[in-house]
Amino acid sequence: MQKVKIGFLPLYVELYDLTCPEMRPKIEKFNNEVIEKLKEYADVYAVPICRLEAEFKEAVRLFEEKDVDAVVTMHLDYSPSLESAPALAAVEVPIIILDTTCQYDFGPGQSVDEIMYNHGIHGVQDMCNLLKRNGKTYFVEAGHWQHSDVIERVISRTRAAALAKALRNARVGIAGEPFKGMGDFAVPYSEMYSEIGIKTIPYDFEWAEHQIQEITKEEIESDIQKCRELFRIKDISREVWERSEKINLTIRKWIERENLDACTINFLATENQPGLPVMPFLEISRLMAAGVGYAGEGDVLTAALVGALLKVYPETTFTEMFCPDWKGNSILVSHMGEINTVLTAEKPVLVEKDFPFTSAENPVTAYGCLKPGNAVLVDLAPFGDGKYTLILSEVEMLAVDGKDNLELSVHGWFRPKNCDISRFLEQYSVQGGTHHLALVYADAEAELETFGRIMGFGVAVI
């Protein structure tokens, strides 16, 4: 997981430099201490202390150049809001206010001199009124930087901002057309681009047909050897290996060629198609493990969501809910042959998969059971006219005790944390949840709520 990128903006007032220049060393020391603390969690692009409108505008210009995920402000003392407001009005990423002071204790025993170093909170209030007036997306996290979790909360907000930026800049490749008749993820490409920013790039079947022929025996052998290290192998013939590896390596080159953040493939597009002669299940699973998003059946929206999530939460996979276990109060998740292979309880097994759906040859596929642990189910449900709801639910992924008859499949079971499966299934569909979703192994529900807020989505927590 890459570190998030913060543009750090310290605010001050020119008056104190003119009338009380002796304050500067202590103010600078406090500012630098907070920056070093933030650097434990993030890449921090800090600008010199800003006081005047021109300084704030130059700071914002630098943040744009560095492509930061969020701007984090900190009032070192009072700063009149009309100095910073024009620059902050132009900021396109979320603004996170770190509302803190250098002193922890400011009771009756404190020196009166310390007031001059610790009265930034009314500068925060002045600035936030202007942010609200200007319609800006901002968050306030207050607390002492050493004696609370305020730094961690700021970083949490920044991760949500990074997720929003990733979704707004997603490049998603699609092979084939969306599965005919699946309506829940049917969103026009133009709407996804205009309302969210997702760009859709079609698979070039002619290029792929030529590329398949260019794959060398050395490339195939090298990739097979890597697979032998990562997977358990079950009776795969050389012929099956080679034809799967040709399309696997072609898909990988397509991802690199188009600089894709995610992709989606309709398995029916393999019908009599020399540019996609085998369904590349193994490569799809390895791509998710490498941080590239995926969703099945031509679902660009969910693929973009999974790709964005992977940039912040590497333990994410595409999945679907399949079968309720009423007796065990759990729900089976599965799919045809796609799973983030870093998330299996045991080393995944590679097999030749029977593929009766089209004229395509049988592929090599990675199977495994999702590992136990705490996770969040994440669904982005579209409702037309640019309206979306982000549906979140904390779940427990369950360990399998005893014999697992589903070993040769992609599978796992979850139990909702906040209700039984009857109530969960009712509420999920009441909210309009789709049958394609993401599973995130992280304590991330609060961050994901922030992400939904930044994006302007409705948010429903089950």
Side-chain angles (χ1 to χ4, degrees), residues 192-255:
M192 283 188 280
Y193 180 67
S194 63
E195 298 295 332
I196 298 176
I198 299 168
K199 299 179 182 66
T200 306
I201 295 91
Y203 185 65
D204 187 336
F205 285 93
E206 290 186 8
W207 168 86
E209 182 180 359
H210 175 74
Q211 184 62 58
I212 288 169
Q213 304 306 317
E214 295 294 314
I215 300 297
T216 66
K217 290 185 180 296
E218 290 75 18
E219 287 178 292
I220 292 170
E221 187 57 36
S222 174
D223 213 45
I224 287 175
Q225 289 306 315
K226 290 176 184 176
C227 287
R228 293 189 188 281
E229 297 171 7
L230 296 172
F231 305 104
R232 294 175 289 149
I233 315 298
K234 283 208 173 188
D235 301 325
I236 302 173
S237 70
R238 186 70 188 190
E239 179 185 3
V240 170
W241 261 121
E242 289 193 1
R243 69 191 182 209
S244 273
E245 281 302 319
K246 285 182 178 181
I247 188 60
N248 289 341
L249 291 164
T250 296
I251 292 295
R252 196 178 307 169
K253 292 174 189 287
W254 174 51
I255 299 292

Side-chain angles (χ1 to χ4, degrees), residues 157-332:
R157 296 290 194 188
T158 307
R159 280 196 293 265
L163 177 54
K165 187 173 78 172
L167 186 61
R168 285 174 172 151
N169 290 283
R171 291 176 55 83
V172 182
I174 180 171
E177 298 295 326
F179 195 105
K180 186 177 180 181
M182 286 187 181
D184 57 357
F185 62 75
V187 182
Y189 301 155
S190 58
E191 179 187 314
M192 283 188 280
Y193 180 67
S194 63
E195 298 295 332
I196 298 176
I198 299 168
K199 299 179 182 66
T200 306
I201 295 91
Y203 185 65
D204 187 336
F205 285 93
E206 290 186 8
W207 168 86
E209 182 180 359
H210 175 74
Q211 184 62 58
I212 288 169
Q213 304 306 317
E214 295 294 314
I215 300 297
T216 66
K217 290 185 180 296
E218 290 75 18
E219 287 178 292
I220 292 170
E221 187 57 36
S222 174
D223 213 45
I224 287 175
Q225 289 306 315
K226 290 176 184 176
C227 287
R228 293 189 188 281
E229 297 171 7
L230 296 172
F231 305 104
R232 294 175 289 149
I233 315 298
K234 283 208 173 188
D235 301 325
I236 302 173
S237 70
R238 186 70 188 190
E239 179 185 3
V240 170
W241 261 121
E242 289 193 1
R243 69 191 182 209
S244 273
E245 281 302 319
K246 285 182 178 181
I247 188 60
N248 289 341
L249 291 164
T250 296
I251 292 295
R252 196 178 307 169
K253 292 174 189 287
W254 174 51
I255 299 292
E256 294 169 356
R257 177 178 183 245
E258 298 292 349
N259 192 27
L260 300 180
D261 301 292
C263 69
T264 179
I265 300 174
N266 183 348
F267 64 92
L268 295 178
T270 59
E271 179 65 42
N272 294 321
Q273 180 49 260
L276 193 64
V278 180
M279 185 63 190
F281 286 126
L282 174 57
E283 186 59 23
I284 289 164
S285 296
R286 288 187 294 183
L287 285 170
M288 281 193 283
V292 178
Y294 180 79
E297 288 87 52
D299 180 356
V300 171
L301 181 65
T302 306
L305 175 67
V306 174
L309 287 165
L310 280 164
K311 284 182 169 55
V312 179
Y313 312 109
E315 293 197 333
T316 296
T317 191
F318 166 71
T319 195
E320 294 182 5
M321 288 181 261
F322 264 69
C323 306
D325 176 11
W326 306 109
K327 180 179 178 181
N329 190 37
S330 64
I331 297 173
L332 171 74

Side-chain angles (χ1 to χ4, degrees), residues 16 21 25 65 84 129 199 218 222 256 273 277 328 386 394 421 441:
Y16 292 169
E65 179 184 301
S84 60
N129 178 273
K199 299 179 182 66
E218 290 75 18
S222 174
E256 294 169 356
Q273 180 49 260
E394 291 184 325
I421 66 167
Y441 282 81

